[in-house]
């Protein structure tokens, strides 16, 4: 019995110490997060798009979104069309897939009403369980109720893990320090990729999975919220080097809800043109500029009155 | 259930509390058995049928072998039945598709057809481990090394004991079975030492193996896109990844068992500090190496035969070890490379030069040469197929340039590796300095807490499975 008591005492000391340190480190990291520079690549951009962004035109997406939409080109074209200056920001971030972007879209809509939101999406994102991408939003779990709701929906394990401040920042400290020390400012959120790639892999088959209910529901919720708040929303599927799937379900979803959908996924000018791609999934700067010009031509008839 | 999951962090304390609250083995054995089956059935409940089949079969054969201990023919017949059925199950689930595909490929080259289709079956987790443990029991009973276990529940627990069920250590009946008959009282030392070993295991898995895996997977799963420099780095990273993945699992298993008072055999003994390849295999996956030594190498004649036959025995043992690892030609080649190493090292020691390792530089040279040889062989083990393996080797020796960068892996991975190297070198060369085992209570607590914080802050929690689960 004496050994049991001794063991319980040791465990209590470790747990109390861990809890105290967890609380302290959490406070320090939360404070550091609020002091991040405005843009850069990852957490500062996430912080910006969730809490500070107030641009009139917003682009939401993953790394494909970040690399495919040249904000300066879109801005010039839209300004000419609207005959006034409209601020624009590409709020797409590498590693943020559908659920993470739906979460961001909800946070943004609850904070302010942009004049146009372009949502970069492809149907394969609805067919992949991407709950892991929400881990990037974990530092904001206790700040944003929407972020909390999205993370809580992923299951009981996430709900328990989020109780620890340190776990919320798991694997993120180095990137935070890097963003502090080397803040990068891109063209209003656009991330240019330089160089082309050698297509040595040939054709690869993409297995078409079942639709993931959670992802579909999240996207439907975003559509519903944007319709209620009358925020113009356009879905765009940007080009892929060699797609072997399609966007059939997205077409149905958009026509059902009266949301414009511009499908450039299989666009002939880009498909199998390595000179426009940095790798199989991302356009390089040259490709992105060409795509942004093409895109404006396609969204022009759909633009609202600004 | 994975060790590196929240379920296990809840499951394990509950099992320990239940185990120590039940003071009698009459209740403890069924309790641990139920917990072990629950642990295993978390992957797929159907798998439990296989482990139960293997358990019933080897238990019955063990009892019959002992019953007919005076009749050699019958004794042998029961052993053979046990071996055939156990290996047939293993063959069916693990090797059938591989052999079928290999026959198909060979016949296709000859322009012939092979109409036998592959089977749509999943490889049951840990089947090679518990099959070998159960088969080892049967052979030991046959040899008279141990008595057959009378209590079926105790025997079933021996086969399915959850800490070492899915990836070893492959325990020997003479070590583990008697421990199920002992009445373990709660021991502070066992609990604390066991937990510390588990923490170290989690560190190896989450902070080194899974972090390095990010780089290794990026390179090895996309060979054409990477140059030789990246291949060299990825291969060195994989060398440590597999050690920390499997060594980490073993530490968690041994630690978890120790908390409950069970002593499992050591499975890894700082293998990359071996002076030569022979020593490496005495330090790497010790429970499997010694299994092959006892049940394959020695029955083949070991070294008590002619010299050429001895070399052949060595080669066969390592080739079988390669095949045990997986149903893929890459594993066969990996086993083959180690066969060549063993044979070449033996010939070198006998006819050319027997290193003494008596000065520091000869130790350093031996360790470095052994590390490079082992790392080279891992290329076959990790490559997705034989073509990839040879492409990687070609690139390692020719195609160099700027390496693929991953800041997270380089910083977190190298930090983790530095801590690992510090501990392994310290333990290997007997330096008395210690942190988690310091004589000062304050240092002990601080270092243990720091280690947990390090795991929580820098560990990779998203990668999941242990590499050896596939075997």
């Amino acid at each position: 019995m004496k050994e049991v008591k001794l063991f319980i005492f040791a465990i209590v000391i470790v747990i109390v110490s861990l809890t105290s340190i967890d609380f302290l480190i959490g406070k320090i990291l939360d404070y550091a997060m609020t002091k991040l520079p405005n843009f850069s690549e990852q957490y500062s951009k996430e912080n910006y798009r969730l809490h500070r962004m107030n641009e009139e035109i917003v682009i939401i997406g993953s790394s494909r979104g970040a690399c495919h939409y040249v904000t300066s080109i879109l801005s010039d074209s839209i300004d000419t069309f609207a005959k006034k200056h409209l601020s624009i920001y590409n709020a797409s971030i590498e590693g943020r897939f559908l659920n993470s972007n739906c979460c961001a879209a909800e946070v943004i809509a609850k904070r302010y009403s942009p004049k146009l939101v372009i949502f970069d999406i492809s149907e394969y994102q609805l067919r992949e369980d991407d709950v892991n991408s929400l881990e990037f939003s974990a530092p904001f779990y206790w700040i944003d109720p929407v972020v909390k709701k999205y993370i809580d929906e992923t299951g009981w394990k996430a709900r328990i893990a989020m109780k620890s401040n340190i776990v919320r920042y798991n694997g993120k400290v180095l990137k935070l320090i890097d963003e502090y020390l080397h803040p990068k400012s891109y063209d209003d959120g656009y991330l240019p990729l330089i160089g082309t790639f050698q297509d040595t892999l040939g054709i690869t088959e993409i297995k078409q999975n079942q639709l993931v209910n959670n992802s579909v529901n999240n996207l439907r919720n975003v559509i519903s919220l944007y319709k209620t708040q009358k925020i113009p929303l356009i879905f765009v599927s940007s080009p892929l080097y060699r797609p072997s799937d399609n966007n059939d379900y997205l077409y149905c979803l958009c026509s059902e809800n009266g949301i414009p959908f511009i499908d450039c996924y299989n666009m002939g000018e880009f498909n199998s043109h390595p000179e426009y791609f940095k790798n199989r999934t991302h356009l390089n700067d040259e490709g992105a500029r060409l795509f942004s010009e093409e895109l404006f031509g396609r969204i022009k008839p759909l633009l609202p009155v600004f | 259930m994975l060790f590196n999951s929240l379920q296990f962090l809840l499951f394990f304390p509950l099992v320990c509390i239940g185990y120590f609250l039940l003071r009698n083995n009459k209740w403890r054995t069924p309790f641990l058995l139920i917990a072990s089956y629950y642990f295993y059935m978390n992957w797929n409940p159907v798998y439990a049928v296989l482990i139960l089949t293997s358990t019933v079969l080897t238990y019955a054969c063990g009892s019959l072998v002992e019953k007919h201990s005076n009749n050699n023919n019958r004794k042998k017949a029961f052993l053979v039945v046990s071996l055939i059925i156990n290996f047939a199950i293993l063959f069916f689930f693990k090797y059938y598709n591989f052999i079928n595909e290999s026959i198909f490929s060979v016949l296709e080259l000859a322009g012939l057809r092979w109409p036998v289709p592959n089977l749509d079956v999943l490889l049951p987790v840990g089947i090679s481990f518990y099959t070998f443990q159960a088969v080892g029991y049967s052979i030991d009973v046959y040899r008279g090394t141990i008595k057959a276990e009378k209590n079926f529940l105790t025997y079933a627990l021996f086969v399915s004991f959850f800490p070492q069920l899915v990836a070893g250590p492959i325990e020997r009946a003479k070590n583990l079975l008697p421990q199920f008959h002992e009445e373990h009282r709660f021991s502070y030392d066992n609990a604390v030492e066991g937990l510390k070993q588990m923490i170290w295991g989690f560190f190896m898995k989450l902070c080194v193996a899974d972090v390095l895996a990010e780089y290794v997977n990026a390179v090895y799963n996309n060979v054409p896109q990477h140059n030789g420099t990246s291949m060299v780095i990825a291969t060195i990273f994989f060398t440590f990844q597999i050690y920390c993945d499997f060594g980490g699992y073993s530490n968690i298993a041994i630690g978890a068992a120790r908390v409950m008072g069970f002593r499992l055999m050591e499975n890894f003994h700082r293998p990359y500090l071996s002076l030569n390849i022979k020593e490496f295999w005495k330090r790497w996956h010790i429970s499997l190496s010694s299994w092959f030594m006892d049940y394959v190498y020695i029955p083949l004649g070991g070294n008590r035969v002619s010299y050429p036959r001895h070399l052949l025995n060595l080669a066969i043992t390592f080739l079988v070890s390669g095949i045990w690892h997986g149903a893929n030609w890459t594993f066969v080649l990996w086993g083959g490379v180690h066969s060549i190493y063993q044979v070449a090292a033996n010939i070198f020691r006998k006819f050319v030069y027997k290193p003494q390792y008596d000065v520091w530089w000869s130790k350093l040279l031996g360790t470095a040469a052994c590390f490079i040889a082992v790392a080279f062989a891992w290329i076959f083990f990790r490559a997705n197929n034989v073509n990839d393996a040879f492409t990687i080797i070609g690139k390692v020796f020719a195609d160099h340039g700027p390496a693929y960068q991953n800041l997270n892996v380089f910083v977190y991975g190298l930090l983790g590796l530095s801590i690992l190297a510090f501990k392994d070198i310290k333990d290997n060369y007997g330096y008395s300095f210690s942190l988690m085992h310091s004589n000062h209570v304050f240092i002990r607590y601080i270092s243990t807490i720091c280690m947990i914080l390090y795991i929580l802050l820098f560990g990779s929690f998203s990668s999941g499975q242990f590499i050896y689960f596939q075997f």
Side-chain angles (χ1 to χ4, degrees):
Chain A
M1 202 60 195
K2 190 185 164 191
E3 294 207 27
V4 175
K5 281 181 185 169
L6 201 61
F7 179 72
I8 292 172
F9 179 70
I11 291 288
V12 168
I13 288 181
V14 171
I15 289 174
V16 169
S17 309
L18 277 176
T19 312
S20 313
I21 297 170
D22 184 84
F23 176 79
L24 195 68
I25 293 181
K27 285 286 169 201
I28 294 168
L29 290 173
D30 281 345
Y31 178 76
M33 186 62 92
T34 63
K35 296 293 173 193
L36 276 174
N38 256 0
F39 302 139
S40 218
E41 280 172 90
Q42 284 279 345
Y43 300 106
S44 47
K45 197 171 180 182
E46 181 80 55
N47 190 30
Y48 181 77
R49 78 171 179 174
L50 294 182
H51 305 124
R52 297 182 199 159
M53 186 169 70
N54 59 4
E55 275 78 1
E56 291 157 304
I57 299 171
V58 170
I59 298 151
I60 297 174
S62 61
S63 55
R64 281 167 44 77
C67 307
H68 292 185
Y69 299 83
V70 186
T71 35
S72 56
I73 292 176
L74 289 171
S75 175
D76 290 347
S77 310
I78 293 173
D79 286 357
T80 311
F81 170 80
K83 296 190 178 79
K84 64 175 176 179
H85 177 66
L86 293 162
S87 56
I88 181 166
Y89 184 67
N90 186 337
S92 310
I93 312 177
E94 184 189 355
R96 306 319 197 261
F97 301 111
L98 188 66
N99 288 312
S100 181
N101 289 327
C102 285
C103 173
E106 273 197 47
V107 175
I108 293 162
K110 289 192 173 164
R111 195 163 54 75
Y112 81 107
S113 294
K115 291 189 174 159
L116 174 66
V117 172
I118 297 171
F119 198 120
D120 182 81
I121 185 171
S122 300
E123 190 166 314
Y124 70 84
Q125 295 180 359
L126 285 166
R127 298 179 185 277
E128 286 177 359
D129 200 355
D130 71 354
V131 289
N132 281 345
S133 80
L134 282 166
E135 78 176 57
F136 293 106
S137 309
F140 311 105
Y141 181 82
W142 295 109
I143 299 170
D144 279 299
V146 176
V147 172
K148 185 174 184 303
K149 183 192 85 175
Y150 269 80
I151 292 178
D152 283 351
E153 277 172 4
T154 62
W156 64 273
K157 285 186 252 180
R159 286 197 289 276
I160 292 179
M162 289 300 108
K163 300 285 182 282
S164 162
N165 290 315
I166 291 178
V167 172
R168 285 196 292 122
Y169 284 95
N170 168 267
K172 301 178 178 72
V173 174
L174 183 69
K175 192 69 194 160
L176 283 179
I177 295 171
D178 183 48
E179 290 188 25
Y180 251 116
L181 298 179
H182 309 106
K184 292 168 193 153
S185 184
Y186 299 110
D187 179 6
D188 292 330
Y190 164 62
L191 176 65
L193 293 179
I194 308 302
T196 55
F197 90 115
Q198 300 290 317
D199 180 16
T200 50
L201 293 175
I203 296 168
T204 51
E205 283 293 314
I206 296 176
K207 193 180 162 194
Q208 190 139 34
N209 300 319
Q210 293 288 311
L211 290 166
V212 178
N213 280 340
N214 188 40
S215 303
V216 173
N217 290 339
N218 285 337
L219 193 60
R220 283 183 179 276
N221 289 342
V222 168
I223 292 171
S224 163
L225 178 69
Y226 275 60
K227 277 169 84 175
T228 312
Q229 298 202 192
K230 296 188 170 53
I231 302 172
L233 177 66
I234 297 177
F235 286 136
V236 179
S237 188
S238 54
L240 195 70
Y241 178 65
R242 196 174 278 166
S244 64
D245 53 351
N246 54 49
N247 290 314
D248 290 349
Y249 182 77
L250 272 177
Y251 274 109
C252 294
L253 187 70
C254 289
S255 75
E256 185 188 311
N257 288 282
I259 302 286
F261 177 46
I262 299 170
D263 189 0
C264 305
Y265 198 55
N266 277 300
M267 212 168 169
E269 294 97 309
F270 296 95
N271 290 165
S272 304
H273 282 273
E275 68 272 22
Y276 292 133
F277 283 84
K278 171 69 179 169
N279 51 46
R280 295 178 77 84
T281 42
H282 300 102
L283 291 169
N284 60 21
D285 187 48
E286 190 187 345
R289 287 180 182 281
L290 187 63
F291 167 66
S292 299
E293 283 163 11
E294 290 272 348
L295 178 68
F296 177 72
R298 293 208 188 187
I299 60 169
K300 199 172 163 183
L302 305 168
L303 288 175
V305 179
F306 291 108
Chain B
M1 190 185 299
L2 292 168
F3 280 163
N4 53 333
S5 67
L6 262 178
Q7 288 104 310
F8 183 74
L9 291 184
L10 297 173
F11 167 85
F12 180 62
L14 290 176
V15 171
C16 288
I17 291 168
Y19 179 73
F20 285 114
L21 285 177
L22 300 167
R23 289 174 177 273
N24 191 320
N25 273 358
K26 188 180 154 192
W27 301 109
R28 279 179 170 182
T29 302
F31 174 74
L32 276 186
L33 187 61
I34 291 166
S36 296
Y37 268 76
Y38 173 77
F39 177 88
Y40 191 64
M41 286 163 75
N42 255 266
W43 274 284
N44 186 342
V46 179
Y47 291 165
V49 176
L50 288 175
I51 196 169
L52 190 63
T53 307
S54 183
T55 304
V56 171
L57 183 78
T58 44
Y59 174 77
C61 285
S63 303
L64 289 168
V65 163
E66 193 169 77
K67 193 177 169 187
H68 297 91
S69 55
N70 296 327
N71 185 335
N72 263 346
N73 285 342
R74 282 196 176 181
K75 210 168 90 165
K76 195 175 257 179
F78 288 124
L79 175 72
V80 169
V81 168
S82 170
L83 297 186
I84 287 176
I85 299 180
N86 270 294
F87 285 128
I89 294 172
L90 184 63
F91 171 84
F92 178 78
F93 283 96
K94 192 165 177 175
Y95 299 104
Y96 175 83
N97 284 349
F98 166 62
I99 291 175
N100 195 43
E101 280 167 17
S102 299
I103 294 171
F104 177 85
S105 303
V106 169
L107 291 181
E108 199 180 31
L109 283 176
L112 299 169
R113 286 186 68 244
W114 178 252
V116 182
N118 272 354
L119 295 170
D120 187 18
V121 286
L122 279 175
L123 179 67
V125 176
I127 189 169
S128 307
F129 288 90
Y130 67 72
T131 301
F132 268 43
Q133 187 157 309
V135 164
Y137 164 83
S138 298
I139 298 172
D140 284 349
V141 173
Y142 172 79
R143 286 176 177 172
T145 319
I146 55 160
K147 292 263 178 210
E149 174 57 49
K150 299 281 181 284
N151 185 327
F152 176 73
L153 293 183
T154 306
Y155 178 71
L157 181 57
F158 162 72
V159 179
S160 64
F161 187 42
F162 77 86
Q164 43 89 239
L165 169 58
V166 287
I170 302 168
E171 272 296 340
R172 301 308 164 77
K174 72 175 175 193
N175 176 42
L176 188 57
L177 262 176
Q179 294 188 53
F180 292 123
H181 294 288
E182 294 168 10
E183 299 272 345
H184 296 128
R185 293 174 66 86
F186 179 82
S187 151
Y188 176 85
D189 286 342
N190 275 341
V192 169
E193 289 309 308
L195 287 176
K196 280 181 185 170
Q197 192 160 1
M198 289 177 79
I199 291 170
W200 183 247
F202 281 119
F203 168 80
M204 288 176 79
K205 166 67 179 164
L206 301 170
C207 301
V208 185
D210 288 352
V211 173
L212 298 179
E214 204 181 312
Y215 192 94
V216 175
N217 293 342
V219 174
Y220 267 76
N221 293 344
N222 203 354
V223 173
Q225 302 261 326
H226 293 279
N227 62 28
T229 314
S230 304
M231 295 297 169
V232 171
I233 296 171
T235 302
I236 293 170
F237 279 1
F238 181 70
T239 305
F240 287 106
Q241 183 203 338
I242 191 155
Y243 167 45
C244 291
D245 191 282
F246 197 17
Y249 180 92
S250 297
N251 274 319
I252 299 168
I254 296 166
R258 187 162 178 194
V259 171
M260 292 183 283
F262 296 93
R263 298 268 182 171
L264 300 183
M265 68 187 293
E266 187 184 21
N267 217 12
F268 291 86
H269 189 74
R270 302 181 281 282
Y272 294 139
L273 295 174
S274 308
L275 296 169
N276 54 53
I277 201 74
K278 190 179 173 189
E279 190 188 343
F280 172 80
W281 278 105
K282 288 181 179 168
R283 290 163 165 247
W284 178 271
H285 202 175
I286 299 164
S287 62
L288 181 73
S289 310
S290 58
W291 197 98
F292 276 113
M293 170 74 85
D294 290 348
Y295 303 115
V296 179
Y297 177 70
I298 290 173
L300 284 171
N303 60 2
R304 294 179 178 178
V305 285
S306 65
Y307 188 61
R309 180 61 202 265
H310 169 215
L311 295 181
L312 183 67
N313 291 345
L314 269 177
I316 290 171
T317 306
F318 279 90
L319 207 56
V320 174
S321 163
I323 295 167
W324 175 90
H325 278 83
N328 196 323
W329 286 107
T330 51
F331 295 116
V332 178
L333 283 172
W334 174 76
V337 169
H338 273 284
S339 294
I340 293 168
Y341 285 168
Q342 290 291 332
V343 171
N346 205 292
I347 293 171
F348 186 81
R349 272 199 307 274
K350 191 173 172 77
F351 296 110
V352 184
Y353 174 66
K354 190 172 184 182
Q356 297 303 314
Y357 306 112
D358 45 2
V359 285
W360 69 267
W361 59 264
S362 65
K363 287 181 186 171
L364 186 66
L365 209 64
T367 307
C370 179
F371 181 86
I372 292 167
V374 170
F376 176 79
W378 285 131
I379 293 175
F380 291 100
F381 192 97
R382 175 57 186 84
N384 292 336
N385 52 58
V386 175
N387 276 347
D388 270 11
F390 284 108
T391 308
I392 291 164
I393 291 167
K395 286 192 171 195
V396 162
F397 289 107
D399 175 24
H400 290 278
Y404 162 64
Q405 305 274 334
N406 186 323
L407 185 70
N408 256 8
V409 174
F410 284 139
V411 175
Y412 293 141
L414 293 177
L415 188 61
L417 271 182
S418 309
I419 297 170
L420 175 82
F422 173 77
K423 185 180 181 295
D424 272 9
I425 290 170
K426 174 185 79 65
D427 290 346
N428 201 59
Y429 297 107
Y431 297 118
S432 58
F433 173 76
S434 195
L435 290 170
M436 279 166 74
H437 294 91
S438 167
N439 289 330
H440 301 280
V441 64
F442 187 69
I443 296 176
R444 274 205 310 272
Y445 272 96
I446 292 287
S447 48
T448 306
I449 288 164
C450 284
M451 185 53 84
I452 297 172
L453 288 173
Y454 185 95
I455 293 168
L456 293 176
L457 205 49
F458 302 123
S460 169
F461 295 123
S462 51
S463 34
Q465 293 275 32
F466 287 82
I467 294 173
Y468 263 69
F469 281 14
Q470 63 184 299
F471 308 134

